[in-house]
Amino acid sequence: MKVVLIGSGGREHAIAYKIAQSKKLEKLFIIPGNPGTKNFGENVQLDIKDHDSIIGFCKENKIDLVVVGPEQPLIEGIADKFSAEGIKVFGPSRNAARIEGEKSFAKNLMKEYGVPTADYKTFLKEEYFDSLEYLKNSKLPIVIKADGIAAGKGVIVAETFGQAKNAVEDCFVHSAFGSSGNKVVIEEFMTGQEASIFAITDGTEYILLPAAQDHKRILDGDNGKNTGGMGAYAPTPFVDDSILKITTQKIIEPVLKALRESESNFVGCLYCGLMLTNEGPKVVEFNCRFGDPETQVVLPLLDGDLLELFYSAACGSINKNAVKYNGGASVCVVAAAKGYPDSYEKGKVITGINETESNEIIVYHAGTMETEGRLLTNGGRVFGVTSVVRTNDLKLAKEKSYTALSKINFDGIYYRKDISDKALK
Ligand code: AMP
Ligand code: GLY
């Protein structure tokens, strides 16, 4: 099979790593890829916003399967364009991607099908004053969400009425999130452990991959600003068999059904972000693609053929036995540039990566670039050091990641020291 993978982050590096192990693979192209993905295929420098050029490339190279990493092209409808050209694609249609792209769509769908999630109300820009009135009468903290995608910045947990008002004003008055903020969802604040579960599906049948836990805040102890994810581990002990059963029966199955019934059959990876509350698991958000950095810990734990899984799902008849989790633990610690998630410098020389990689350590590139044979920082989240141990020893996995990370360096390197600690306590 000739395969195109779209994206350039740590998530795509992890997907490329795993697809490259498939016996069915003839050639992998990554558009545009990163310095890590080029070890598993050919990086092709096309703009991921330029759908026509990507489709042209796929037709020219007789591509059998396209795997789409990030949400943006899916929300823009790239999967529909591939399908129209007869090219198989692992990733949902524009309609189905609304589960991530329009929070109000996801919330209304959940309400209609009785899927447990936070209570909420949606407001349009012209209902600005109503939204303030609603906030005045709401319990604090409260969560304000821009309806559309906002590069991970559209969710504000407000502790005071003032903060909540500012968040709504950012959306409606200052247009801080562009058209994504023309509608807001105001929802009840939930407490509990968070978990991420990936359902790989052909729209009807599905398999669940081991549950992971992300660490979204910049500082240890889940303090400070929200980021794109500072680390993850899998499997998380917070998702036991009983939670998994409720999740499949009350969340995954009804949502796949709801999507089918609203002409939005979902093919790909349905990312289910859960809050494990005292009342049971509730949905925080759905994403229409794999999570980052959760993918970096979930995929290395799988035995089997990921390409077969993706291809069979894309063909409408998922092979549920294509991959299997047979035990093991994984911890990914993200190394960020000083200043991230605010402004940060680029172009710092990275040392030590090649020397640390082994059977048990994978360094997934995210914000790196290569110039004249040197590896330089080129983003806020630079790379993720991932350990994979074959026993269910999370503590050992954590130690291995941090030991490896201590040997890698660049000017201004920052990382959290407590990835996976919640599970170890
Ligand atoms: P999202 O972008 O929807 O993943 O939200 C970012 C983060 O905000 C989540 O990972 C949660 O930590 C937090 N969050 C979102 N919605 C809620 C909620 N209703 N209650 C508590 N925390 C939330
Ligand atoms: N790790 C969170 C996300 O991928 O959205």
Side-chain angles (χ1 to χ4, degrees), residues 123 128-146 154-174 177 184-189:
F123 293 91
Y128 170 51
F129 291 107
D130 299 333
S131 70
L132 295 185
E133 207 49 44
Y134 180 79
L135 285 175
K136 270 185 203 150
N137 299 313
S138 298
K139 222 173 85 191
L140 294 165
I142 190 140
V143 186
I144 322 291
K145 299 184 173 184
V155 174
I156 287 95
V157 178
E159 307 280 345
T160 64
F161 172 74
Q163 286 171 356
K165 182 166 178 270
N166 285 343
V168 171
E169 281 177 353
D170 276 346
C171 291
F172 288 158
V173 183
H174 309 306
F177 308 112
V184 299
V185 174
I186 300 184
E187 70 176 37
E188 167 205 12
F189 178 76

mmCIF file of all heavy atoms in Angstrom, residues 123 128-146 154-174 177 184-189:
data_model
loop_
_atom_site.group_PDB
_atom_site.id
_atom_site.type_symbol
_atom_site.label_atom_id
_atom_site.label_comp_id
_atom_site.label_asym_id
_atom_site.label_seq_id
_atom_site.Cartn_x
_atom_site.Cartn_y
_atom_site.Cartn_z
ATOM 1 N N PHE A 123 -25.245 30.531 23.373
ATOM 2 C CA PHE A 123 -25.662 31.916 23.093
ATOM 3 C C PHE A 123 -25.031 32.383 21.788
ATOM 4 O O PHE A 123 -23.858 32.099 21.520
ATOM 5 C CB PHE A 123 -25.210 32.850 24.219
ATOM 6 C CG PHE A 123 -25.911 32.597 25.523
ATOM 7 C CD1 PHE A 123 -25.356 31.701 26.447
ATOM 8 C CD2 PHE A 123 -27.121 33.205 25.817
ATOM 9 C CE1 PHE A 123 -25.996 31.438 27.647
ATOM 10 C CE2 PHE A 123 -27.771 32.948 27.022
ATOM 11 C CZ PHE A 123 -27.209 32.061 27.939
ATOM 12 N N TYR A 128 -25.735 38.558 23.505
ATOM 13 C CA TYR A 128 -24.682 38.932 24.448
ATOM 14 C C TYR A 128 -25.235 39.289 25.833
ATOM 15 O O TYR A 128 -24.788 38.766 26.858
ATOM 16 C CB TYR A 128 -23.891 40.100 23.838
ATOM 17 C CG TYR A 128 -22.913 40.774 24.751
ATOM 18 C CD1 TYR A 128 -21.965 40.038 25.465
ATOM 19 C CD2 TYR A 128 -22.917 42.165 24.905
ATOM 20 C CE1 TYR A 128 -21.054 40.663 26.295
ATOM 21 C CE2 TYR A 128 -22.001 42.794 25.741
ATOM 22 C CZ TYR A 128 -21.082 42.042 26.432
ATOM 23 O OH TYR A 128 -20.192 42.658 27.260
ATOM 24 N N PHE A 129 -26.253 40.159 25.869
ATOM 25 C CA PHE A 129 -26.774 40.594 27.181
ATOM 26 C C PHE A 129 -27.472 39.447 27.915
ATOM 27 O O PHE A 129 -27.362 39.320 29.125
ATOM 28 C CB PHE A 129 -27.697 41.816 27.020
ATOM 29 C CG PHE A 129 -26.921 43.036 26.600
ATOM 30 C CD1 PHE A 129 -27.008 43.522 25.304
ATOM 31 C CD2 PHE A 129 -26.062 43.665 27.496
ATOM 32 C CE1 PHE A 129 -26.255 44.631 24.919
ATOM 33 C CE2 PHE A 129 -25.307 44.771 27.116
ATOM 34 C CZ PHE A 129 -25.408 45.256 25.814
ATOM 35 N N ASP A 130 -28.130 38.592 27.150
ATOM 36 C CA ASP A 130 -28.750 37.406 27.777
ATOM 37 C C ASP A 130 -27.677 36.516 28.403
ATOM 38 O O ASP A 130 -27.876 35.938 29.470
ATOM 39 C CB ASP A 130 -29.513 36.571 26.733
ATOM 40 C CG ASP A 130 -30.641 37.353 26.090
ATOM 41 O OD1 ASP A 130 -31.147 38.271 26.750
ATOM 42 O OD2 ASP A 130 -30.981 37.042 24.935
ATOM 43 N N SER A 131 -26.528 36.411 27.709
ATOM 44 C CA SER A 131 -25.474 35.537 28.227
ATOM 45 C C SER A 131 -24.942 36.090 29.549
ATOM 46 O O SER A 131 -24.658 35.329 30.477
ATOM 47 C CB SER A 131 -24.352 35.361 27.205
ATOM 48 O OG SER A 131 -23.620 36.558 27.041
ATOM 49 N N LEU A 132 -24.849 37.424 29.646
ATOM 50 C CA LEU A 132 -24.380 38.023 30.915
ATOM 51 C C LEU A 132 -25.389 37.783 32.032
ATOM 52 O O LEU A 132 -25.018 37.466 33.174
ATOM 53 C CB LEU A 132 -24.141 39.524 30.743
ATOM 54 C CG LEU A 132 -23.015 39.925 29.789
ATOM 55 C CD1 LEU A 132 -22.793 41.427 29.809
ATOM 56 C CD2 LEU A 132 -21.705 39.204 30.126
ATOM 57 N N GLU A 133 -26.658 37.914 31.676
ATOM 58 C CA GLU A 133 -27.717 37.676 32.653
ATOM 59 C C GLU A 133 -27.638 36.224 33.157
ATOM 60 O O GLU A 133 -27.728 35.951 34.362
ATOM 61 C CB GLU A 133 -29.073 37.933 31.964
ATOM 62 C CG GLU A 133 -30.206 38.349 32.871
ATOM 63 C CD GLU A 133 -29.844 39.487 33.819
ATOM 64 O OE1 GLU A 133 -29.200 40.487 33.407
ATOM 65 O OE2 GLU A 133 -30.187 39.345 34.997
ATOM 66 N N TYR A 134 -27.434 35.316 32.209
ATOM 67 C CA TYR A 134 -27.331 33.886 32.542
ATOM 68 C C TYR A 134 -26.144 33.651 33.488
ATOM 69 O O TYR A 134 -26.254 32.918 34.475
ATOM 70 C CB TYR A 134 -27.167 33.078 31.250
ATOM 71 C CG TYR A 134 -27.038 31.589 31.442
ATOM 72 C CD1 TYR A 134 -28.163 30.801 31.679
ATOM 73 C CD2 TYR A 134 -25.788 30.958 31.382
ATOM 74 C CE1 TYR A 134 -28.052 29.430 31.853
ATOM 75 C CE2 TYR A 134 -25.670 29.593 31.555
ATOM 76 C CZ TYR A 134 -26.805 28.829 31.786
ATOM 77 O OH TYR A 134 -26.688 27.470 31.955
ATOM 78 N N LEU A 135 -25.022 34.312 33.179
ATOM 79 C CA LEU A 135 -23.816 34.140 34.007
ATOM 80 C C LEU A 135 -24.056 34.646 35.434
ATOM 81 O O LEU A 135 -23.586 34.032 36.391
ATOM 82 C CB LEU A 135 -22.633 34.887 33.392
ATOM 83 C CG LEU A 135 -21.989 34.236 32.162
ATOM 84 C CD1 LEU A 135 -20.908 35.145 31.590
ATOM 85 C CD2 LEU A 135 -21.383 32.871 32.513
ATOM 86 N N LYS A 136 -24.784 35.767 35.549
ATOM 87 C CA LYS A 136 -25.051 36.344 36.875
ATOM 88 C C LYS A 136 -25.774 35.346 37.767
ATOM 89 O O LYS A 136 -25.599 35.331 38.978
ATOM 90 C CB LYS A 136 -25.932 37.593 36.723
ATOM 91 C CG LYS A 136 -25.127 38.860 36.559
ATOM 92 C CD LYS A 136 -26.052 40.075 36.536
ATOM 93 C CE LYS A 136 -25.346 41.217 35.812
ATOM 94 N NZ LYS A 136 -26.283 42.110 35.124
ATOM 95 N N ASN A 137 -26.590 34.518 37.160
ATOM 96 C CA ASN A 137 -27.386 33.572 37.937
ATOM 97 C C ASN A 137 -26.773 32.175 37.995
ATOM 98 O O ASN A 137 -27.422 31.228 38.415
ATOM 99 C CB ASN A 137 -28.801 33.489 37.340
ATOM 100 C CG ASN A 137 -29.499 34.831 37.391
ATOM 101 O OD1 ASN A 137 -29.483 35.481 38.424
ATOM 102 N ND2 ASN A 137 -30.050 35.262 36.273
ATOM 103 N N SER A 138 -25.517 32.045 37.500
ATOM 104 C CA SER A 138 -24.891 30.714 37.460
ATOM 105 C C SER A 138 -23.944 30.505 38.629
ATOM 106 O O SER A 138 -23.387 31.461 39.177
ATOM 107 C CB SER A 138 -24.094 30.543 36.168
ATOM 108 O OG SER A 138 -24.944 30.628 35.062
ATOM 109 N N LYS A 139 -23.749 29.235 38.934
ATOM 110 C CA LYS A 139 -22.808 28.862 39.997
ATOM 111 C C LYS A 139 -21.372 28.978 39.463
ATOM 112 O O LYS A 139 -21.116 28.673 38.308
ATOM 113 C CB LYS A 139 -23.097 27.397 40.378
ATOM 114 C CG LYS A 139 -23.066 27.133 41.875
ATOM 115 C CD LYS A 139 -23.524 25.714 42.181
ATOM 116 C CE LYS A 139 -22.378 24.733 42.067
ATOM 117 N NZ LYS A 139 -22.766 23.333 42.098
ATOM 118 N N LEU A 140 -20.435 29.375 40.321
ATOM 119 C CA LEU A 140 -19.024 29.462 39.926
ATOM 120 C C LEU A 140 -18.255 28.292 40.517
ATOM 121 O O LEU A 140 -18.676 27.782 41.551
ATOM 122 C CB LEU A 140 -18.424 30.775 40.420
ATOM 123 C CG LEU A 140 -19.005 32.043 39.772
ATOM 124 C CD1 LEU A 140 -18.616 33.272 40.575
ATOM 125 C CD2 LEU A 140 -18.529 32.169 38.329
ATOM 126 N N PRO A 141 -17.108 27.883 39.931
ATOM 127 C CA PRO A 141 -16.630 28.311 38.608
ATOM 128 C C PRO A 141 -17.578 27.878 37.491
ATOM 129 O O PRO A 141 -18.403 26.979 37.686
ATOM 130 C CB PRO A 141 -15.284 27.605 38.477
ATOM 131 C CG PRO A 141 -15.164 26.635 39.582
ATOM 132 C CD PRO A 141 -16.248 26.883 40.553
ATOM 133 N N ILE A 142 -17.393 28.527 36.346
ATOM 134 C CA ILE A 142 -18.205 28.191 35.183
ATOM 135 C C ILE A 142 -17.304 28.188 33.951
ATOM 136 O O ILE A 142 -16.257 28.839 33.959
ATOM 137 C CB ILE A 142 -19.394 29.168 35.046
ATOM 138 C CG1 ILE A 142 -20.376 28.685 33.986
ATOM 139 C CG2 ILE A 142 -18.931 30.592 34.746
ATOM 140 C CD1 ILE A 142 -21.810 28.879 34.342
ATOM 141 N N VAL A 143 -17.687 27.425 32.936
ATOM 142 C CA VAL A 143 -16.798 27.245 31.782
ATOM 143 C C VAL A 143 -17.406 27.903 30.543
ATOM 144 O O VAL A 143 -18.570 27.667 30.218
ATOM 145 C CB VAL A 143 -16.544 25.735 31.522
ATOM 146 C CG1 VAL A 143 -15.500 25.551 30.425
ATOM 147 C CG2 VAL A 143 -16.095 25.049 32.802
ATOM 148 N N ILE A 144 -16.599 28.751 29.891
ATOM 149 C CA ILE A 144 -17.040 29.457 28.682
ATOM 150 C C ILE A 144 -16.253 28.883 27.513
ATOM 151 O O ILE A 144 -15.018 28.836 27.563
ATOM 152 C CB ILE A 144 -16.709 30.974 28.762
ATOM 153 C CG1 ILE A 144 -16.889 31.550 30.154
ATOM 154 C CG2 ILE A 144 -17.418 31.774 27.678
ATOM 155 C CD1 ILE A 144 -18.249 31.662 30.670
ATOM 156 N N LYS A 145 -16.949 28.469 26.465
ATOM 157 C CA LYS A 145 -16.253 27.873 25.311
ATOM 158 C C LYS A 145 -16.675 28.555 24.018
ATOM 159 O O LYS A 145 -17.875 28.667 23.741
ATOM 160 C CB LYS A 145 -16.578 26.379 25.199
ATOM 161 C CG LYS A 145 -16.152 25.576 26.415
ATOM 162 C CD LYS A 145 -16.404 24.086 26.231
ATOM 163 C CE LYS A 145 -15.791 23.316 27.398
ATOM 164 N NZ LYS A 145 -15.904 21.863 27.250
ATOM 165 N N ALA A 146 -15.691 28.979 23.244
ATOM 166 C CA ALA A 146 -15.994 29.435 21.886
ATOM 167 C C ALA A 146 -16.504 28.221 21.119
ATOM 168 O O ALA A 146 -15.977 27.114 21.281
ATOM 169 C CB ALA A 146 -14.736 30.000 21.230
ATOM 170 N N GLY A 154 -9.770 28.392 23.230
ATOM 171 C CA GLY A 154 -11.155 28.855 23.288
ATOM 172 C C GLY A 154 -11.943 28.392 24.501
ATOM 173 O O GLY A 154 -13.151 28.594 24.551
ATOM 174 N N VAL A 155 -11.267 27.777 25.478
ATOM 175 C CA VAL A 155 -11.984 27.304 26.671
ATOM 176 C C VAL A 155 -11.485 28.067 27.890
ATOM 177 O O VAL A 155 -10.285 28.065 28.173
ATOM 178 C CB VAL A 155 -11.767 25.785 26.884
ATOM 179 C CG1 VAL A 155 -12.384 25.329 28.196
ATOM 180 C CG2 VAL A 155 -12.339 25.003 25.725
ATOM 181 N N ILE A 156 -12.378 28.741 28.585
ATOM 182 C CA ILE A 156 -11.979 29.491 29.783
ATOM 183 C C ILE A 156 -12.761 28.980 30.978
ATOM 184 O O ILE A 156 -13.990 28.925 30.955
ATOM 185 C CB ILE A 156 -12.193 31.012 29.616
ATOM 186 C CG1 ILE A 156 -11.135 31.583 28.666
ATOM 187 C CG2 ILE A 156 -12.054 31.762 30.936
ATOM 188 C CD1 ILE A 156 -11.555 31.692 27.281
ATOM 189 N N VAL A 157 -12.018 28.572 32.006
ATOM 190 C CA VAL A 157 -12.661 28.205 33.262
ATOM 191 C C VAL A 157 -12.643 29.468 34.127
ATOM 192 O O VAL A 157 -11.579 29.926 34.538
ATOM 193 C CB VAL A 157 -11.914 27.041 33.959
ATOM 194 C CG1 VAL A 157 -12.568 26.714 35.296
ATOM 195 C CG2 VAL A 157 -11.884 25.804 33.060
ATOM 196 N N ALA A 158 -13.829 30.050 34.346
ATOM 197 C CA ALA A 158 -13.910 31.328 35.071
ATOM 198 C C ALA A 158 -14.241 31.069 36.531
ATOM 199 O O ALA A 158 -15.201 30.373 36.857
ATOM 200 C CB ALA A 158 -14.960 32.220 34.427
ATOM 201 N N GLU A 159 -13.418 31.688 37.407
ATOM 202 C CA GLU A 159 -13.629 31.534 38.854
ATOM 203 C C GLU A 159 -14.548 32.633 39.385
ATOM 204 O O GLU A 159 -15.141 32.484 40.443
ATOM 205 C CB GLU A 159 -12.285 31.640 39.605
ATOM 206 C CG GLU A 159 -11.181 30.706 39.105
ATOM 207 C CD GLU A 159 -11.320 29.295 39.638
ATOM 208 O OE1 GLU A 159 -12.088 29.094 40.597
ATOM 209 O OE2 GLU A 159 -10.670 28.390 39.071
ATOM 210 N N THR A 160 -14.588 33.762 38.661
ATOM 211 C CA THR A 160 -15.399 34.901 39.115
ATOM 212 C C THR A 160 -16.313 35.344 37.977
ATOM 213 O O THR A 160 -16.055 35.029 36.803
ATOM 214 C CB THR A 160 -14.507 36.102 39.489
ATOM 215 O OG1 THR A 160 -13.830 36.546 38.298
ATOM 216 C CG2 THR A 160 -13.463 35.740 40.539
ATOM 217 N N PHE A 161 -17.327 36.124 38.350
ATOM 218 C CA PHE A 161 -18.223 36.658 37.323
ATOM 219 C C PHE A 161 -17.434 37.542 36.346
ATOM 220 O O PHE A 161 -17.640 37.488 35.136
ATOM 221 C CB PHE A 161 -19.365 37.456 37.966
ATOM 222 C CG PHE A 161 -20.203 38.176 36.952
ATOM 223 C CD1 PHE A 161 -21.097 37.483 36.135
ATOM 224 C CD2 PHE A 161 -20.064 39.547 36.761
ATOM 225 C CE1 PHE A 161 -21.840 38.150 35.173
ATOM 226 C CE2 PHE A 161 -20.810 40.220 35.805
ATOM 227 C CZ PHE A 161 -21.696 39.518 35.006
ATOM 228 N N GLY A 162 -16.471 38.316 36.896
ATOM 229 C CA GLY A 162 -15.656 39.202 36.060
ATOM 230 C C GLY A 162 -14.908 38.425 34.979
ATOM 231 O O GLY A 162 -14.890 38.820 33.808
ATOM 232 N N GLN A 163 -14.297 37.314 35.378
ATOM 233 C CA GLN A 163 -13.557 36.490 34.396
ATOM 234 C C GLN A 163 -14.504 35.922 33.342
ATOM 235 O O GLN A 163 -14.176 35.866 32.153
ATOM 236 C CB GLN A 163 -12.847 35.328 35.107
ATOM 237 C CG GLN A 163 -11.616 35.746 35.890
ATOM 238 C CD GLN A 163 -11.069 34.612 36.760
ATOM 239 O OE1 GLN A 163 -11.656 33.527 36.837
ATOM 240 N NE2 GLN A 163 -9.965 34.874 37.430
ATOM 241 N N ALA A 164 -15.684 35.515 33.809
ATOM 242 C CA ALA A 164 -16.652 34.935 32.875
ATOM 243 C C ALA A 164 -17.102 35.995 31.863
ATOM 244 O O ALA A 164 -17.182 35.737 30.652
ATOM 245 C CB ALA A 164 -17.847 34.384 33.638
ATOM 246 N N LYS A 165 -17.347 37.193 32.378
ATOM 247 C CA LYS A 165 -17.782 38.299 31.517
ATOM 248 C C LYS A 165 -16.683 38.605 30.485
ATOM 249 O O LYS A 165 -16.958 38.766 29.288
ATOM 250 C CB LYS A 165 -18.074 39.523 32.384
ATOM 251 C CG LYS A 165 -18.579 40.726 31.642
ATOM 252 C CD LYS A 165 -19.146 41.743 32.642
ATOM 253 C CE LYS A 165 -19.634 42.998 31.950
ATOM 254 N NZ LYS A 165 -18.614 44.034 31.799
ATOM 255 N N ASN A 166 -15.425 38.656 30.956
ATOM 256 C CA ASN A 166 -14.308 38.905 30.030
ATOM 257 C C ASN A 166 -14.243 37.862 28.931
ATOM 258 O O ASN A 166 -13.979 38.170 27.771
ATOM 259 C CB ASN A 166 -12.968 38.890 30.777
ATOM 260 C CG ASN A 166 -12.773 40.155 31.588
ATOM 261 O OD1 ASN A 166 -13.466 41.151 31.347
ATOM 262 N ND2 ASN A 166 -11.864 40.118 32.545
ATOM 263 N N ALA A 167 -14.470 36.601 29.331
ATOM 264 C CA ALA A 167 -14.386 35.502 28.354
ATOM 265 C C ALA A 167 -15.466 35.667 27.282
ATOM 266 O O ALA A 167 -15.199 35.500 26.086
ATOM 267 C CB ALA A 167 -14.536 34.157 29.072
ATOM 268 N N VAL A 168 -16.668 36.019 27.721
ATOM 269 C CA VAL A 168 -17.760 36.203 26.756
ATOM 270 C C VAL A 168 -17.466 37.415 25.865
ATOM 271 O O VAL A 168 -17.673 37.386 24.652
ATOM 272 C CB VAL A 168 -19.110 36.359 27.498
ATOM 273 C CG1 VAL A 168 -20.202 36.762 26.534
ATOM 274 C CG2 VAL A 168 -19.476 35.052 28.189
ATOM 275 N N GLU A 169 -16.929 38.467 26.481
ATOM 276 C CA GLU A 169 -16.590 39.668 25.697
ATOM 277 C C GLU A 169 -15.500 39.369 24.676
ATOM 278 O O GLU A 169 -15.530 39.880 23.553
ATOM 279 C CB GLU A 169 -16.136 40.799 26.618
ATOM 280 C CG GLU A 169 -17.303 41.498 27.283
ATOM 281 C CD GLU A 169 -16.863 42.577 28.250
ATOM 282 O OE1 GLU A 169 -15.656 42.711 28.516
ATOM 283 O OE2 GLU A 169 -17.759 43.274 28.767
ATOM 284 N N ASP A 170 -14.515 38.535 25.080
ATOM 285 C CA ASP A 170 -13.465 38.149 24.123
ATOM 286 C C ASP A 170 -14.083 37.549 22.870
ATOM 287 O O ASP A 170 -13.644 37.809 21.762
ATOM 288 C CB ASP A 170 -12.503 37.129 24.760
ATOM 289 C CG ASP A 170 -11.422 37.821 25.576
ATOM 290 O OD1 ASP A 170 -11.275 39.048 25.431
ATOM 291 O OD2 ASP A 170 -10.745 37.129 26.363
ATOM 292 N N CYS A 171 -15.099 36.725 23.084
ATOM 293 C CA CYS A 171 -15.751 36.070 21.939
ATOM 294 C C CYS A 171 -16.606 37.059 21.152
ATOM 295 O O CYS A 171 -16.439 37.210 19.942
ATOM 296 C CB CYS A 171 -16.638 34.919 22.424
ATOM 297 S SG CYS A 171 -15.704 33.537 23.090
ATOM 298 N N PHE A 172 -17.517 37.739 21.854
ATOM 299 C CA PHE A 172 -18.558 38.513 21.172
ATOM 300 C C PHE A 172 -18.136 39.939 20.811
ATOM 301 O O PHE A 172 -18.544 40.466 19.791
ATOM 302 C CB PHE A 172 -19.812 38.595 22.054
ATOM 303 C CG PHE A 172 -20.570 37.298 22.156
ATOM 304 C CD1 PHE A 172 -21.421 37.061 23.230
ATOM 305 C CD2 PHE A 172 -20.451 36.320 21.166
ATOM 306 C CE1 PHE A 172 -22.136 35.863 23.321
ATOM 307 C CE2 PHE A 172 -21.165 35.135 21.258
ATOM 308 C CZ PHE A 172 -22.010 34.904 22.334
ATOM 309 N N VAL A 173 -17.333 40.553 21.680
ATOM 310 C CA VAL A 173 -17.018 41.976 21.466
ATOM 311 C C VAL A 173 -15.661 42.144 20.790
ATOM 312 O O VAL A 173 -15.526 42.852 19.798
ATOM 313 C CB VAL A 173 -17.059 42.754 22.814
ATOM 314 C CG1 VAL A 173 -16.816 44.243 22.570
ATOM 315 C CG2 VAL A 173 -18.387 42.532 23.524
ATOM 316 N N HIS A 174 -14.644 41.448 21.299
ATOM 317 C CA HIS A 174 -13.294 41.625 20.756
ATOM 318 C C HIS A 174 -12.969 40.643 19.624
ATOM 319 O O HIS A 174 -11.892 40.707 19.048
ATOM 320 C CB HIS A 174 -12.248 41.481 21.871
ATOM 321 C CG HIS A 174 -12.534 42.320 23.074
ATOM 322 N ND1 HIS A 174 -12.734 43.675 22.990
ATOM 323 C CD2 HIS A 174 -12.699 41.997 24.391
ATOM 324 C CE1 HIS A 174 -12.996 44.164 24.200
ATOM 325 N NE2 HIS A 174 -12.992 43.156 25.069
ATOM 326 N N PHE A 177 -11.498 35.116 18.828
ATOM 327 C CA PHE A 177 -11.397 33.811 18.160
ATOM 328 C C PHE A 177 -12.041 33.849 16.777
ATOM 329 O O PHE A 177 -12.423 32.812 16.245
ATOM 330 C CB PHE A 177 -12.038 32.722 19.028
ATOM 331 C CG PHE A 177 -11.518 32.717 20.437
ATOM 332 C CD1 PHE A 177 -12.332 33.080 21.497
ATOM 333 C CD2 PHE A 177 -10.201 32.380 20.694
ATOM 334 C CE1 PHE A 177 -11.842 33.109 22.805
ATOM 335 C CE2 PHE A 177 -9.694 32.409 21.985
ATOM 336 C CZ PHE A 177 -10.510 32.773 23.042
ATOM 337 N N VAL A 184 -21.230 30.976 21.726
ATOM 338 C CA VAL A 184 -20.506 30.395 22.863
ATOM 339 C C VAL A 184 -21.366 29.354 23.559
ATOM 340 O O VAL A 184 -22.603 29.413 23.523
ATOM 341 C CB VAL A 184 -20.035 31.440 23.919
ATOM 342 C CG1 VAL A 184 -19.079 32.454 23.348
ATOM 343 C CG2 VAL A 184 -21.207 32.117 24.584
ATOM 344 N N VAL A 185 -20.663 28.405 24.136
ATOM 345 C CA VAL A 185 -21.323 27.419 24.985
ATOM 346 C C VAL A 185 -20.896 27.757 26.409
ATOM 347 O O VAL A 185 -19.707 27.884 26.684
ATOM 348 C CB VAL A 185 -20.875 25.984 24.614
ATOM 349 C CG1 VAL A 185 -21.456 24.972 25.594
ATOM 350 C CG2 VAL A 185 -21.255 25.641 23.193
ATOM 351 N N ILE A 186 -21.860 27.942 27.285
ATOM 352 C CA ILE A 186 -21.543 28.167 28.702
ATOM 353 C C ILE A 186 -21.946 26.896 29.431
ATOM 354 O O ILE A 186 -23.091 26.453 29.317
ATOM 355 C CB ILE A 186 -22.305 29.390 29.257
ATOM 356 C CG1 ILE A 186 -21.912 30.629 28.452
ATOM 357 C CG2 ILE A 186 -22.002 29.572 30.750
ATOM 358 C CD1 ILE A 186 -22.529 31.933 28.952
ATOM 359 N N GLU A 187 -20.967 26.295 30.102
ATOM 360 C CA GLU A 187 -21.315 25.014 30.721
ATOM 361 C C GLU A 187 -20.865 24.875 32.154
ATOM 362 O O GLU A 187 -19.938 25.551 32.619
ATOM 363 C CB GLU A 187 -20.865 23.830 29.851
ATOM 364 C CG GLU A 187 -19.389 23.604 29.765
ATOM 365 C CD GLU A 187 -19.041 22.349 28.953
ATOM 366 O OE1 GLU A 187 -19.705 22.046 27.957
ATOM 367 O OE2 GLU A 187 -18.070 21.690 29.342
ATOM 368 N N GLU A 188 -21.533 23.994 32.809
ATOM 369 C CA GLU A 188 -21.289 23.663 34.214
ATOM 370 C C GLU A 188 -19.857 23.160 34.381
ATOM 371 O O GLU A 188 -19.342 22.444 33.530
ATOM 372 C CB GLU A 188 -22.309 22.561 34.552
ATOM 373 C CG GLU A 188 -22.132 21.802 35.805
ATOM 374 C CD GLU A 188 -22.789 20.422 35.696
ATOM 375 O OE1 GLU A 188 -23.175 19.997 34.588
ATOM 376 O OE2 GLU A 188 -22.890 19.760 36.726
ATOM 377 N N PHE A 189 -19.226 23.540 35.479
ATOM 378 C CA PHE A 189 -17.876 23.089 35.790
ATOM 379 C C PHE A 189 -17.940 21.688 36.412
ATOM 380 O O PHE A 189 -18.704 21.447 37.333
ATOM 381 C CB PHE A 189 -17.232 24.083 36.771
ATOM 382 C CG PHE A 189 -15.854 23.711 37.204
ATOM 383 C CD1 PHE A 189 -14.776 23.885 36.355
ATOM 384 C CD2 PHE A 189 -15.630 23.179 38.471
ATOM 385 C CE1 PHE A 189 -13.483 23.544 36.751
ATOM 386 C CE2 PHE A 189 -14.341 22.833 38.879
ATOM 387 C CZ PHE A 189 -13.268 23.020 38.014
#
